[in-house]
Amino acid sequence: FVPPPAPRPPDPGPLDIRVTVDVVLPGTEPEPTPSWWQRLRIRWIYNLGCAAAAMPLSGPWAAVLIHVRDEQSLAGAWTFAVIPLAVLGLLDNARRIEAAHAAPDLWGPRIRAALTRTALWAAVIATVTALPIETAVYLLTGVRP
């Protein structure tokens, strides 16, 4: 017994093909686009200033993280550190966009953006000073000091 051949699939409809042609006339070459590192626009002085202003705030937060790490657990301390970092990161992005699109003579959005960036730097510095070394020791040796 031979099964009947499978039915052919229906023919697809007509294809929609679009072609785009860019014509560059002599003497009208497009401007070269800047490289990705030139488009980053990292404001080094602004970030260093915010990080310097965040130093006094990072000490108490690092102490809180160390207390949570010692009294509860390392995972709890990382959770306690990452949640504010995520919230501050999102808020920093929103404040930066708000300041970029504000009128040039308005200082409020720029001050709020700088304060949020300072708080983000404080959380980053506190997390970096309190948790990674202890985590590396714990992961590599399995012994809690």
Side-chain angles (χ1 to χ4, degrees):
F1 175 71
V2 176
R8 286 186 57 197
D11 290 333
L15 295 176
D16 185 21
I17 299 175
R18 297 171 192 248
V19 177
T20 303
V21 178
D22 292 331
V23 177
V24 178
L25 300 175
T28 61
E29 287 124 17
E31 294 285 328
T33 59
S35 301
W36 66 269
W37 63 85
Q38 293 170 336
R39 290 188 308 243
L40 282 178
R41 292 192 61 219
I42 297 175
R43 299 183 300 169
W44 294 101
I45 302 299
Y46 174 75
N47 280 301
L48 288 174
C50 288
M55 288 294 191
L57 300 172
S58 66
W61 183 242
V64 168
L65 292 176
I66 290 171
H67 179 74
V68 170
R69 180 192 70 200
D70 292 342
E71 297 297 323
Q72 300 300 317
S73 68
L74 189 59
W78 274 107
T79 304
F80 210 68
V82 168
I83 291 173
L85 280 172
V87 171
L88 283 170
L90 288 172
L91 187 60
D92 176 62
N93 194 28
R95 296 292 187 203
R96 183 183 53 83
I97 292 170
E98 178 187 20
H101 294 289
D105 56 342
L106 292 179
W107 282 84
R110 286 164 181 73
I111 291 171
R112 285 192 297 270
L115 290 175
T116 306
R117 178 65 56 97
T118 302
L120 179 63
W121 271 112
V124 167
I125 292 169
T127 302
V128 167
T129 57
L131 297 179
I133 294 173
E134 181 89 16
T135 303
V137 168
Y138 182 68
L139 290 176
L140 293 175
T141 65
V143 177
R144 285 187 77 158

